[in-house]
């Protein structure tokens, strides 16, 4: 827009030169026009960058006086009228609307020295051109501001998406790799406890720890692959059956009960349910001191699917939620589901997650 105004200013000056030469008027009349062009092309940028308002008003007043001088000395040629259009456009860019209205209202009075009928006709024509220039400049200015806002919103959306992706990766690390490393840690502890008295048993437990460590590596590869593209998943009942078998092998007998007809679920829903059971069984092995646990996968509701992890362990105190439960709540809330942990000290805990599906 600023380059267009500069081009219009130069074009108006060239038109004015042609008008003066064709009308055989003195070249002295071009003096105010030269001053106007220099101010409008070189002064505008500096004034626009000023954070204070008074230089802008001073600039417009000076440009207004120069425009009047050009109009008076040139005899009201077309070129001088175009320079006044530039004045109105720059006023719209620099000053608030009331000041623009004042400038637009004063511009037609440059024709006051003409005969009444001719001055009225020319004045109304110049008023219409000034109003059009002001409205068009304002619309272009608003469009530019809207584009700026749109870019800002795009940056905010990108930042929000990055935050959500970081939270998702954090949940995957905790729920996947954290689960596997917890199992490895417990198996190594068990192996160390029986190493002296039962070396064969210790070797067996360490072999399981090695298998679990390899599973952790596969989990890392799975998470990295998920960042790039979706991979075909194991059916949810089979995946939960494997989690229950791991917990049983770690010393806490765990059963899986599937109720209702099994049906396909969206990948995000299956991921949330799998992570819920994984987190629940990890807590059973780490904290519950349970004798047994049970997992229920319930397809019986028509619009929701629910998983429950129950144990008969020590229970947890109120307000003891960790990162794992926070991650489960975030996953479920993102899908429009619900999460709950019900625990009674000394009687065990029940974790359930329900998601649409």
């Amino acid at each position: 827009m600023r380059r267009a105004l500069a081009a219009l200013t130069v074009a108006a000056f060239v038109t004015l030169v042609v008008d003066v030469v064709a009308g055989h008027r003195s070249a002295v009349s071009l003096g105010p026009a030269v001053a106007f062009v220099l101010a409008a092309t070189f002064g505008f940028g500096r004034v626009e960058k000023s954070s204070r308002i008074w230089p802008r008003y001073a600039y417009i007043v000076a440009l207004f006086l120069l425009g009047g001088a050009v109009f008076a000395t040139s005899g009201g040629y077309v070129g001088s009228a175009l320079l006044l259009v530039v004045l109105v456009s720059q006023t719209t860019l620099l000053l608030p609307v009331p000041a623009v209205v004042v400038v637009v209202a004063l511009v037609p009075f440059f024709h006051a020295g003409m005969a009444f009928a001719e001055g009225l006709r020319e004045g109304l024509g110049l008023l219409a051109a000034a109003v059009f220039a002001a409205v068009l400049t304002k619309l272009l200015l608003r469009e530019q501001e809207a584009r700026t806002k749109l870019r800002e919103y795009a940056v905010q959306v990108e930042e929000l998406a990055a935050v959500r992706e970081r939270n998702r990766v954090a949940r995957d690390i905790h729920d996947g790799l954290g689960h596997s490393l917890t199992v490895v840690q417990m198996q190594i502890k068990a192996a160390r406890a029986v190493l002296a008295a039962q070396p064969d048993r210790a070797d067996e437990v360490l072999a399981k720890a090695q298998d679990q460590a390899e599973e952790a590596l596969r989990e890392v590869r799975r998470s990295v692959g998920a960042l790039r593209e979706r991979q075909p998943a194991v059916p949810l009942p089979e995946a939960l059956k494997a989690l229950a078998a791991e917990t049983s092998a770690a010393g806490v007998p765990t059963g899986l009960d599937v109720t209702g007809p099994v049906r396909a679920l969206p990948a995000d829903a299956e991921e949330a349910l799998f992570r819920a059971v994984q987190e629940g069984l990890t807590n059973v092995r780490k904290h519950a001191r349970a004798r047994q646990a049970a997992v229920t996968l319930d397809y019986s509701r028509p619009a929701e699917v629910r998983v429950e992890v129950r144990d008969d362990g020590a229970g947890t105190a109120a307000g003891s939620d960790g990162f794992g439960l926070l991650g489960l709540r975030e996953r479920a809330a993102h899908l429009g589901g619900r999460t709950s942990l019900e625990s009674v000290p000394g009687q065990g805990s029940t974790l359930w997650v329900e998601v649409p599906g």
Side-chain angles (χ1 to χ4, degrees), residues 252-265:
V252 182
T254 302
L256 171 65
D257 183 22
V258 180
T259 61
V262 177
R263 59 181 182 271
L265 300 175

Side-chain angles (χ1 to χ4, degrees), residues 61-279:
V61 170
L63 210 61
F64 185 88
L65 295 176
L66 286 173
V70 172
F71 200 85
T73 57
S74 66
Y77 285 134
V78 174
S80 60
L82 290 177
L83 290 179
L84 293 180
V85 171
V86 173
L87 166 66
V88 171
S89 294
Q90 290 196 357
T91 303
T92 306
L93 292 174
L94 293 176
L95 300 182
V97 173
V100 176
V101 173
V102 171
V103 171
V104 170
L106 290 177
V107 161
F109 286 97
F110 287 135
H111 290 284
M114 296 182 178
F116 179 77
E118 183 183 3
L120 181 61
R121 183 181 70 250
E122 297 294 334
L124 289 177
L126 185 57
L127 177 63
V131 170
F132 176 78
V135 171
L136 180 61
T137 304
K138 194 67 176 178
L139 290 176
L140 291 174
L141 188 61
R142 288 183 177 178
E143 181 184 4
Q144 186 180 41
E145 292 173 351
R147 288 177 181 273
T148 301
K149 287 290 186 182
L150 186 60
R151 286 194 294 268
E152 292 175 357
Y153 292 150
V155 171
Q156 292 175 6
V157 169
E158 184 178 354
E159 292 176 350
L160 178 60
V163 170
R164 292 181 61 179
E165 183 64 14
R166 285 198 297 269
N167 289 339
R168 188 187 71 78
V169 172
R171 289 194 298 267
D172 281 350
I173 292 174
H174 178 276
D175 297 342
L177 187 59
H179 161 78
S180 298
L181 292 180
T182 297
V183 174
V184 171
Q185 179 193 35
M186 296 182 64
Q187 289 170 336
I188 291 176
K189 285 183 178 179
R192 292 183 63 187
V194 300
L195 182 60
Q198 298 177 290
D200 293 340
R201 173 62 177 162
D203 183 69
E204 179 184 348
V205 175
L206 287 175
K208 292 181 179 179
Q210 181 179 353
D211 292 340
Q212 192 61 45
E214 292 174 355
E215 175 62 27
L217 289 175
R218 287 192 291 271
E219 179 68 23
V220 170
R221 296 189 186 99
R222 190 202 65 81
S223 296
V224 172
L227 291 174
R228 294 175 178 172
E229 59 180 349
R230 292 285 185 183
Q231 300 293 334
V234 175
L236 183 60
E238 294 183 19
L240 298 189
K241 183 178 180 180
L243 289 178
E246 286 180 7
T247 305
S248 298
V252 182
T254 302
L256 171 65
D257 183 22
V258 180
T259 61
V262 177
R263 59 181 182 271
L265 300 175
D268 290 343
E270 289 202 349
E271 179 78 5
L273 296 173
F274 175 82
R275 295 303 186 185
V277 175
Q278 189 178 57
E279 174 66 17

